[in-house]
Amino acid sequence: MTRRLLALHGVLVLAFLCLPIAVVIPMSFSSASSLEFPPPGLSLRWYDSFFGDARWVAALVNSALVALASSTAALLLGGIAAYGLVRGTFRGRPLIEGIFIAPLVVPSVIVAVALYIAFAQAGLLGTMPGLVVAHTVLGVPYVVLVMSVAIRSFDPRIEQVALSLGASTATMVRRVLLPNLLPSVFAAWIFAFITSFDEVIVTHFIAGRFDTVPKRMFNELVLQVNPTITAIATLLIAVSFVAIALILWLLRRGGVRLAALT
């Protein structure tokens, strides 16, 4: 009986969390000229409004470029850090692990203010490189988290055998370690990509004149309630669902359990 009540409670909470999605998606296909639920008719006018507006398309391109660059950088830096943290034996390792994971715990606005002060002194405010660096900082913790679990689950004796047979460290990583961890590598990259693509608070502080899709959505909602936002939100929801499904599939294929990430 207790399990059934817990299951019912979980279903009700999940339904409550999904309620906004059930409202936004139908409204994105509405034929009304303003936000109206339920929609009086079906239309793709708001999707046409999004893809037909050069400003939204430019914001989409900026989001994609920043997410692509920052997620790739986060994968490289976070992957190396994860390997050092898992295989290394040095003092202060728990502290360093905590520092890497800190951006997941610290509120985004605090990270944004810290980056704003640092970038102001370095002359990176309002620049594309500065925005990429800021998003890389946000993506590295996810990469470290996923890759640490993947590397920890990989038998180190296989690496030792490769090294004892004459392979260099670089060759061992390229021909032994990475092929076995490839699903987790892709999952970590997708985590970092989605984190960058959806980021709004840090972007608002750092981006300056550069628009991304989340930043422009925020600015549009401040000025007026534009129904085009519902179409964009639906597209982001769809991308997020696809990304989550792909991450789950990759982690399962890589033998990484979700419980190990928490």
Side-chain angles (χ1 to χ4, degrees):
M1 186 65 180
T2 303
R3 290 185 177 180
R4 292 181 179 179
L5 290 176
L6 288 175
L8 178 60
H9 180 266
V11 170
L12 292 176
V13 170
L14 182 61
F16 176 76
L17 294 176
C18 292
L19 187 60
I21 298 176
V23 174
V24 168
I25 293 178
M27 290 177 64
S28 70
F29 295 98
S30 175
S31 60
S33 58
S34 60
L35 295 179
E36 185 177 341
F37 186 83
L42 298 179
S43 173
L44 296 176
R45 60 182 299 183
W46 303 121
Y47 292 90
D48 291 336
S49 176
F50 171 65
F51 289 107
D53 191 328
R55 296 172 299 177
W56 280 113
V57 173
L60 179 62
V61 171
N62 287 338
S63 292
L65 291 177
V66 172
L68 180 62
S70 63
S71 58
T72 303
L75 179 63
L76 178 62
L77 298 175
I80 295 173
Y83 187 82
L85 290 171
V86 173
R87 295 289 188 251
T89 53
F90 51 89
R91 298 177 62 181
R93 186 170 59 178
L95 177 61
I96 297 176
E97 288 180 347
I99 293 174
F100 272 109
I101 303 301
L104 296 177
V105 181
V106 178
S108 297
V109 66
I110 295 178
V111 176
V113 171
L115 290 173
Y116 180 88
I117 296 172
F119 286 5
Q121 297 177 350
L124 291 175
L125 278 181
T127 65
M128 186 64 75
L131 190 57
V132 171
V133 171
H135 283 212
T136 300
V137 171
L138 298 176
V140 163
Y142 292 94
V143 175
V144 171
L145 190 63
V146 174
M147 293 307 300
S148 293
V149 175
I151 294 170
R152 193 173 289 113
S153 64
F154 185 71
D155 193 344
R157 292 175 295 182
I158 300 177
E159 302 173 32
Q160 295 167 4
V161 168
L163 294 173
S164 66
L165 292 175
S168 64
T169 302
T171 301
M172 182 277 294
V173 171
R174 186 178 69 255
R175 303 188 64 178
V176 177
L177 185 63
L178 285 180
N180 286 279
L181 300 183
L182 206 54
S184 297
V185 169
F186 280 121
W189 184 85
I190 293 172
F191 261 123
F193 185 92
I194 294 300
T195 299
S196 171
F197 198 91
D198 288 344
E199 174 56 40
V200 61
I201 298 177
V202 172
T203 304
H204 200 76
F205 275 76
I206 303 298
R209 62 185 178 85
F210 291 102
D211 262 346
T212 62
V213 171
K215 180 189 174 188
R216 185 162 183 80
M217 289 177 67
F218 180 82
N219 292 335
E220 288 281 338
L221 289 173
V222 171
L223 297 175
Q224 60 178 345
V225 181
N226 189 343
T228 306
I229 300 295
T230 59
I232 303 168
T234 301
L235 292 174
L236 293 178
I237 291 169
V239 170
S240 297
F241 271 115
V242 172
I244 291 172
L246 187 57
I247 288 171
L248 292 174
W249 179 75
L250 288 170
L251 291 177
R252 180 175 297 179
R253 185 169 182 179
V256 177
R257 296 182 179 180
L258 290 179
L261 299 178
T262 58

